[in-house]
Amino acid sequence: MQLDSDSNRLPVALVSGASSGIGQATARRLAQAGFAVALVARNRERLAGLQAELPTATSLTIAQDLTDFAALGALVEAVEAKLGPIAVLVNNAGMAYTGPLETMPVADWEQVLKLNLTAPFALTRAVLPTMRQRRTGTIINMVSIAGKQTFADWGAYCASKFGLLAFSRTLAQEVRQDGIRVTALCPGAVDTALWDSEAVTADFDRQAMLAAETVADLVLYAASLPERAVLEEVVLMPSGGVL
Ligand SMILES: NC(=O)c1ccc[n+]([C@@H]2O[C@H](COP(=O)([O-])OP(=O)(O)OC[C@H]3O[C@@H](n4cnc5c(N)ncnc54)[C@H](OP(=O)(O)O)[C@@H]3O)[C@@H](O)[C@H]2O)c1
């Protein structure tokens, strides 16, 4: 990876949801490829465990609930103060509650929308001024096949991911003239802790799912493309027919 031409430091990637699953694999992959990485999630111990694998000078962990939107400006400032301007934002943190819409508590619906849709919006707003000023940057939104297709009992999740895809497409139209790229990744089922959550009831073959590392490779690919190219939207499915 080349040094950032303005700051003469490693290019910086902020990965949300870096304490587990796709986010953890992505942070690892980006660090191996020569990015300085900011790791954001709530669980301080798991973030520290990942950071222990990485060089201290070019990594930073911030334990933060991303649904505390008022805190996200200061979070971005802290990352830029230690590591430099953010070149890549990976809006990855996400969650699901399954169950029929008719009985889903409003609080559960709201929590999914807040984390999966409003947090990427708020975090994007916080990184955009610097990206605009530098006329470069890549924003990668972890959507899902559930952003393109609906599934019974996944109503809040699908609504959040359809919304995230609409957010992604609109953002791309608004910022491309400023040199900022927006990528929407839509993986099918990935074998992560998301499926172990008490809030999720599903019976899929975990062995047949994608590996988090495969999605991480795609994030790295999108982030490393030459500046004049953008991976706008990708569906990545397990090849064996599982969702
Ligand atoms: N697994 C799949 O089949 C699949 C398929 C397509 C798309 N995706 C998407 O991929 C993304 C990552 O999911 P995953 O499968 O890797 O799940 P995961 O292993 O459960 O990871 C979710 C991450 O989000 C973080 N997070 C949850 N609530 C948070 C909050 N309030 N504030 C900050 N961070 C929070 C978690 O960290 P803390 O608990 O430490 O906060 C964790 O790091 C999600 O957007 C998901 O919708 C997943």
Side-chain angles (χ1 to χ4, degrees):
M1 186 55 56
Q2 291 191 326
L3 292 180
D4 182 286
S5 55
D6 290 344
S7 62
N8 212 24
R9 297 198 265 191
L10 293 181
V12 178
L14 188 164
V15 182
S16 79
S19 64
S20 171
I22 297 170
Q24 187 180 63
T26 295
R28 243 188 219 121
R29 195 63 102 233
L30 290 171
Q32 284 162 356
F35 282 87
V37 286
L39 316 170
V40 181
R42 292 166 304 177
N43 189 305
R44 200 177 294 279
E45 289 71 34
R46 286 208 305 262
L47 290 175
L50 174 58
Q51 197 193 15
E53 300 172 19
L54 308 176
T56 317
T58 54
S59 62
L60 173 66
T61 64
I62 301 186
Q64 175 67 53
D65 185 335
L66 288 159
T67 63
D68 179 2
F69 309 128
L72 302 187
L75 182 153
V76 167
E77 279 173 24
V79 172
E80 301 204 327
K82 172 162 182 205
L83 299 177
I86 293 168
V88 178
L89 168 64
V90 186
N91 278 316
N92 164 80
M95 63 168 304
Y97 277 112
T98 55
L101 286 166
E102 193 177 358
T103 53
M104 170 163 280
V106 172
D108 291 359
W109 168 275
E110 281 188 336
Q111 183 61 20
V112 174
L113 270 287
K114 275 173 87 173
L115 180 64
N116 294 7
L117 181 56
T118 311
F121 160 71
L123 204 48
T124 298
R125 281 165 51 109
V127 303
L128 272 182
T130 305
M131 287 188 175
R132 246 187 223 292
Q133 194 191 349
R134 301 175 73 232
R135 298 194 64 77
T136 185
T138 305
I139 296 168
I140 299 174
N141 294 313
M142 197 56 67
V143 188
S144 164
I145 190 62
K148 290 182 161 263
Q149 247 176 272
T150 56
F151 303 93
D153 292 340
W154 289 76
Y157 188 75
C158 290
S160 72
K161 295 297 185 177
F162 269 67
L164 186 59
L165 188 56
F167 164 74
S168 246
R169 288 177 179 172
T170 312
L171 180 69
Q173 290 170 335
E174 291 180 0
V175 300
R176 64 165 56 105
Q177 65 276 14
D178 295 313
I180 300 167
R181 307 185 291 194
V182 182
T183 297
L185 297 187
C186 302
V190 187
D191 185 11
T192 68
L194 182 138
W195 299 96
D196 300 325
S197 161
E198 281 177 11
V200 172
T201 306
D203 187 19
F204 288 132
D205 178 4
R206 301 278 289 261
Q207 297 294 321
M209 292 182 180
L210 293 163
E213 289 72 19
T214 310
V215 184
D217 283 340
L218 195 53
V219 175
L220 175 61
Y221 180 76
S224 313
L225 278 171
E227 287 222 338
R228 63 170 63 181
V230 58
L231 198 66
E232 289 187 335
E233 223 167 281
V234 186
V235 175
L236 179 73
M237 296 300 288
S239 56
V242 81
L243 285 174

